[in-house]
Amino acid sequence: MAARRKSLYNLLFKDKVARVLLGLTKNRDYRHIRAISRWSDCEYAHTHRILNNLQKEGLVTSYKIGRKRIFVPTKKGELVARHIESIIEIDPEDD
């Protein structure tokens, strides 16, 4: 596995990272770091690091409104979130 693909794999298939990305696509009201950290059950610094990594991979973009930085998933991020959600919904009992 190439280094970039391996880092992307490690980034996406961690519980908190997936929770942040899924929350961004579902929760349209709360998109600043403090609110994201509350509903993803992460500390502020950890949420900030996750969002920076997601932004580097092109899954999230950000902009400032006043003093707050607002995070929004890109089209690629929404697609990845939908795929993660479909993977989560797969029932292992169906085999």
Side-chain angles (χ1 to χ4, degrees):
M1 190 180 291
R4 187 174 190 293
R5 286 188 66 201
K6 187 174 182 181
S7 69
L8 187 60
Y9 176 84
N10 287 335
L11 175 68
L12 291 177
F13 289 101
K14 292 183 179 175
D15 181 44
K16 303 261 180 170
V17 176
R19 214 182 295 175
V20 167
L21 189 59
L22 288 172
L24 275 175
T25 57
K26 290 181 180 179
N27 238 342
R28 302 234 182 251
D29 298 333
Y30 306 105
R31 292 194 167 169
H32 57 308
I33 297 178
R34 180 71 60 200
I36 295 168
S37 65
R38 279 192 204 122
W39 46 255
S40 64
D41 195 31
C42 294
E43 291 190 14
Y44 182 91
H46 189 224
T47 305
H48 188 265
R49 188 170 46 246
I50 289 171
L51 288 168
N52 281 340
N53 288 336
L54 290 173
Q55 195 167 14
K56 284 179 188 174
E57 293 295 334
L59 301 174
V60 172
T61 187
S62 67
Y63 58 93
K64 286 188 91 168
I65 295 180
R67 299 177 86 189
K68 292 183 180 180
R69 182 159 300 278
I70 305 298
F71 289 88
V72 179
T74 60
K75 289 187 184 222
K76 180 180 171 183
E78 288 179 359
L79 180 67
V80 169
R82 274 190 259 131
H83 285 298
I84 290 173
E85 196 169 27
S86 66
I87 290 170
I88 291 170
E89 290 174 358
I90 293 175
D91 189 8
E93 302 289 323
D94 290 341
D95 291 339

